[in-house]
Amino acid sequence: MSTSDKFEQVIGLIDAQNNQDPNLENTANGAQPKELLYAQRMTEKLLQFEPNASEQVQIAARAQHICRWKIARDTYPMDRVGYLKWRQDLKKFHADLTASLLQQVGYDADFIARVSFLIEKKLLKKDAETQLLEDVICLVFLEYYFEEFIHKHDDDKLIDIVKKTWAKMSESGHEAALQLSYSEKALAIIQKALA
């Protein structure tokens, strides 16, 4: 099987998994499975931000939240330690599930290990592709999901969220984030966080 066939096949398998998400998000095209929509947004943003992204990064971006709903946040203690443990377990779950799909279509062990490395976001700030993936995750969050947070949290919490998001990004990530269009409220929060 050619590399492009394998790539198309694994993207199809990732999408088929995410298409099973029982959580729906309303869009202009009707309700869609939440994680399928997230995965498509990740791919779109990655190719806008870095059109020459490697196949490994493209797969890692698409599989970033694969079947995320299967490990619910409320099955962990609702504190900082519980949150961090949940996030850690999710990364491993996403990486392992993606590795099994890559194996299924015939990718070699080195390729699979690299995709897992990226999904687990290892060596952030040191590995250029891990950083690229993190920038895209942050851009997708700011463009599509930050607005939701505005309705759920007070300003101090929101400023803290923006500061933490900003700290994970590269300079080019910051530039791209400042090009996005925000509501008046979101922009005010971002400006306060960066002041």
Side-chain angles (χ1 to χ4, degrees):
M1 194 188 302
S2 76
T3 307
S4 68
D5 285 348
K6 282 195 288 197
F7 179 76
E8 291 305 323
Q9 215 178 330
V10 85
I11 295 296
L13 289 172
I14 292 165
D15 286 355
Q17 291 283 334
N18 280 331
N19 198 35
Q20 296 168 38
D21 190 351
N23 306 296
L24 300 176
E25 192 171 319
N26 290 316
T27 71
N29 303 318
Q32 290 192 43
K34 198 173 174 183
E35 294 309 345
L36 180 65
L37 187 61
Y38 177 81
Q40 290 165 344
R41 286 168 171 169
M42 283 291 293
T43 293
E44 193 181 308
K45 185 56 69 186
L46 172 65
L47 296 176
Q48 268 174 16
F49 186 63
E50 179 41 85
N52 301 313
S54 73
E55 210 170 301
Q56 289 98 324
V57 178
Q58 289 186 54
I59 293 167
R62 193 68 162 215
Q64 192 54 220
H65 277 184
I66 189 168
C67 295
R68 189 184 181 94
W69 67 92
K70 291 187 177 180
I71 301 181
R73 169 67 185 99
D74 61 13
T75 57
Y76 290 76
M78 296 306 281
D79 56 17
R80 179 92 182 129
V81 174
Y83 173 75
L84 293 173
K85 175 83 174 93
W86 173 66
R87 289 293 300 268
Q88 209 49 48
D89 290 352
L90 272 175
K91 280 188 220 172
K92 179 102 180 69
F93 168 69
H94 298 320
D96 290 348
L97 179 51
T98 306
S100 72
L101 300 179
L102 288 163
Q103 234 165 350
Q104 206 176 306
V105 301
Y107 278 100
D108 67 42
D110 288 347
F111 188 100
I112 294 171
R114 181 65 182 159
V115 173
S116 295
F117 175 97
L118 292 168
I119 290 175
E120 292 189 54
K121 298 208 277 289
K122 292 185 174 168
L123 295 182
L124 183 61
K125 298 285 185 193
K126 293 191 177 87
D127 184 279
E129 289 190 321
T130 301
Q131 186 58 56
L132 168 60
L133 187 61
E134 187 62 53
D135 280 338
V136 172
I137 291 164
C138 293
L139 290 168
V140 166
F141 167 70
L142 288 168
E143 183 165 352
Y144 295 102
Y145 303 98
F146 183 51
E147 206 60 51
E148 269 176 50
F149 277 70
I150 288 177
H151 305 296
K152 292 180 189 164
H153 301 289
D154 63 33
D155 285 11
D156 288 347
K157 174 78 175 162
L158 293 168
I159 288 167
D160 187 51
I161 288 170
V162 173
K163 282 181 176 171
K164 283 180 177 152
T165 302
W166 216 255
K168 292 180 202 167
M169 298 172 85
S170 67
E171 278 309 311
S172 49
H174 294 157
E175 283 167 28
L178 294 171
Q179 304 300 311
L180 298 173
S181 61
Y182 299 102
S183 68
E184 220 171 286
K185 170 79 173 161
L187 190 58
I189 293 289
I190 290 167
Q191 285 167 341
K192 277 183 197 166
L194 302 184

